[in-house]
Amino acid sequence: MPFPLHCPNEDFIDQLKKIKLGRLLTGDEIGVRAYSTSIAALAAYPHRLSNTKEILSLPGCDTKIAHLFHEWRSNKGHIETVDEIENDEVLKVLRTFYEIWGVGAITARDFYAKGWRDLDDVVEYGWGTLSRVQQIGVKFYDEFLDKIPRDEVEFIGSKVLEHARRVRDDGIEMCIVGGHRRGKTASGDVDIILSHKEHSATLGLVRDVVLSLEQEGWITHTLLLSLTNSNRAQQTLAFRSGGGGHGFDTLDKGLVVWQDIHFPPPDPSSSPRRDLAKNPNIHRRVDIIISPWRTVGCAIVGWSGGTIFQRDLRRYVKAAHGWKFDSSGIRNRGTGEIVDLESVGGISRTWQEAERKVFQGMGLEYREPWERCTG
């Protein structure tokens, strides 16, 4: 079932997303799961809703969603619950904290419980208790909320690719994933996967790429530089049934803050030296992910779908095959052994081919990235 970026009922879904956020901020996990499932079902429905019976026929949509739809239609696009959420003073504060990079809903509630009510309170009373990521999130709060247009996302991707090839060779390949690949006109951050057909070329690549970009000034802050995969010789670990696996993602990655180094020269009357002029360009969040070629299809799939798409994909492979899937590979939950779908028929010539092999090996119809927009 495809989940397009834009669907016939997008305006109603936008209201449900606001309720879902309200439930998330207040810690209503059951409500979050329920609304997530309903939103995904509505996003996949290819027709404009006309009555509540249609909603009740959809999986995951109950009488509550039907009543909200009736209210939304009757009140010209307004839902009382949404109005209450948007006008609630506590939720306004929680939403401000939640939008800090590195702060989730639980931490946002913790900030509120400490008596903090705005970013100034966070700085004055809690700066020393924040992680470095959170400190950067506060420092560049407004800039990080500014969405990144597609052309800028693609420029950043091309610059990362340029430096990756500079520190290795022209065999490096790049795919911009996340919301950009699903077709969003603007993104909150930039997610980039780099790979190379030679296994040795991706070993330690993230460290070398980040260093090269730092030296040229593109990266202002490196918040995480993980070499977990390189430190185990880029081998996909077997599944441990007793330990619950190895987390969502063990690929090498760098989480960095990006700033375009190009800006107009300063007014000579105010600052005659360009090297002393402050760079006025906005800061951006960029994730650089490295995948060995043998599992690049899993990496692309794992970083390209919406949240519910990824959740349901993992549930499906567990139920249908007894496998554990994440962006670093697939393992058999029973034997712990690696399941290699990408070498079937020989090594993939392109990452697009590798991605299709993953879908085929799972027994699924291939879905284009813009059909995986579940929210």
Side-chain angles (χ1 to χ4, degrees), residues 195-215:
S195 191
H196 194 292
K197 292 184 178 68
E198 291 294 330
H199 187 71
S200 61
T202 49
L203 185 68
L205 175 61
V206 69
R207 176 189 56 232
D208 299 339
V209 173
V210 168
L211 178 59
S212 179
L213 290 164
E214 283 179 335
Q215 290 174 338

Side-chain angles (χ1 to χ4, degrees), residues 39-290:
I39 288 168
L42 290 167
Y45 191 58
H47 309 293
R48 180 71 174 176
L49 291 166
S50 59
N51 58 69
T52 56
K53 289 183 179 180
E54 286 180 275
I55 290 181
L56 292 173
S57 70
L58 298 176
C61 293
D62 56 13
T63 55
K64 178 182 291 185
I65 302 299
H67 288 153
L68 289 172
F69 176 73
H70 176 74
E71 180 185 352
W72 177 76
R73 286 196 67 188
S74 303
N75 294 338
K76 299 180 179 180
H78 284 280
I79 297 176
E80 184 179 357
T81 300
V82 174
D83 293 339
E84 291 173 352
I85 289 172
E86 293 187 328
N87 293 320
D88 186 284
E89 294 302 321
V90 174
L91 289 177
K92 287 180 182 179
V93 175
L94 291 176
R95 192 157 52 243
T96 297
F97 293 156
Y98 178 71
E99 289 174 342
I100 300 171
W101 190 25
V103 173
I106 294 176
T107 304
R109 293 194 295 273
D110 182 55
F111 285 180
Y112 191 89
K114 294 178 185 294
W116 305 344
R117 295 297 179 264
D118 54 33
L119 297 183
D120 289 339
D121 287 345
V122 175
V123 173
E124 182 175 357
Y125 303 113
W127 186 257
T129 68
L130 302 182
S131 68
R132 185 160 180 262
V133 172
Q134 292 167 348
Q135 289 178 344
I136 295 299
V138 172
K139 182 177 181 179
F140 300 122
Y141 180 82
D142 291 325
E143 294 183 50
F144 288 165
L145 289 180
D146 194 335
K147 297 294 185 181
I148 313 171
R150 291 189 67 83
D151 59 348
E152 186 179 349
V153 171
E154 289 162 7
F155 172 78
I156 292 172
S158 68
K159 188 58 62 174
V160 171
L161 177 61
E162 174 189 322
H163 279 256
R165 288 178 170 174
R166 185 183 301 177
V167 300
R168 289 296 186 271
D169 57 45
D170 288 347
I172 293 288
E173 298 193 30
M174 182 269 295
C175 177
I176 302 174
V177 287
H180 180 84
R181 189 161 184 251
R182 296 196 296 275
K184 286 187 176 182
T185 57
S187 304
D189 61 2
V190 183
D191 299 321
I192 299 165
I193 291 179
L194 298 173
S195 191
H196 194 292
K197 292 184 178 68
E198 291 294 330
H199 187 71
S200 61
T202 49
L203 185 68
L205 175 61
V206 69
R207 176 189 56 232
D208 299 339
V209 173
V210 168
L211 178 59
S212 179
L213 290 164
E214 283 179 335
Q215 290 174 338
E216 204 165 277
W218 296 98
I219 291 176
T220 62
H221 304 77
T222 299
L223 303 176
L224 172 68
L225 189 62
S226 172
L227 290 164
T228 301
N229 209 30
S230 286
N231 290 339
R232 61 164 189 252
Q234 303 187 105
Q235 298 300 315
T236 302
L237 293 181
F239 178 73
R240 294 184 314 206
S241 58
H246 292 275
F248 171 74
D249 188 328
T250 55
L251 296 174
D252 287 358
K253 64 178 66 64
L255 275 57
V256 304
V257 179
W258 180 280
Q259 188 179 38
D260 194 326
I261 62 175
H262 301 297
F263 58 94
D267 181 353
S269 63
S270 59
S271 178
R273 291 183 54 187
R274 179 182 175 85
D275 60 330
L276 296 179
K278 180 178 174 62
N279 186 338
N281 290 322
I282 194 168
H283 292 83
R284 303 299 198 184
R285 295 182 291 135
V286 177
D287 296 348
I288 303 171
I289 305 110
I290 311 299

